[in-house]
Amino acid sequence: MFITPMVPVRSAAELSAPKQTQQPQQAAGGMFADIFHQAINNVKETESALARTQYQLATGQLDDIHTLTIGLSKAAAAGELVIQLRNKAMESYNELMRINL
């Protein structure tokens, strides 16, 4: 009788994702860059949506003013997220620079 050794259960996302041949340090750096790029793209998208909503309000095409308020809140939150990501990245970098090897 053979007992199969236990292995960690992988999530569905890991199973469907293509295999990466990068080293862990490069993958982690790429993952942070992807998150940062997504946050910046989110800011661009929310800003353009806000500009469209403001245009619609100015031309009288917007019937509900709360859409503009929601757009303003989304744009502010997206901008704040990018600022906080930058601050945390700078704090991490400064902490790494303080480490004596």
Side-chain angles (χ1 to χ4, degrees):
M1 179 175 186
F2 181 72
I3 299 174
T4 306
M6 294 178 59
V7 294
V9 177
R10 295 188 301 176
S11 68
E14 290 177 30
L15 292 174
S16 63
K19 299 279 183 185
Q20 294 182 353
T21 58
Q22 296 178 344
Q23 295 179 0
Q25 292 176 344
Q26 292 174 343
M31 186 172 66
F32 178 75
D34 291 341
I35 291 170
F36 203 73
H37 286 293
Q38 287 175 356
I40 290 173
N41 288 336
N42 189 20
V43 169
K44 290 178 184 178
E45 290 172 7
T46 55
E47 288 291 329
S48 66
L50 178 61
R52 282 191 306 271
T53 306
Q54 288 173 335
Y55 175 78
Q56 289 173 346
L57 178 68
T59 58
Q61 299 172 4
L62 188 64
D63 294 331
D64 49 354
I65 192 70
H66 68 275
T67 304
L68 179 62
T69 307
I70 292 170
L72 285 168
S73 298
K74 284 182 181 180
E80 185 66 28
L81 175 67
V82 170
I83 291 169
Q84 291 301 322
L85 280 173
R86 183 212 53 191
N87 290 344
K88 290 297 180 181
M90 291 303 297
E91 286 176 19
S92 299
Y93 175 78
N94 289 333
E95 189 68 27
L96 287 172
M97 290 296 112
R98 282 189 231 136
I99 294 174
N100 292 327
L101 296 177

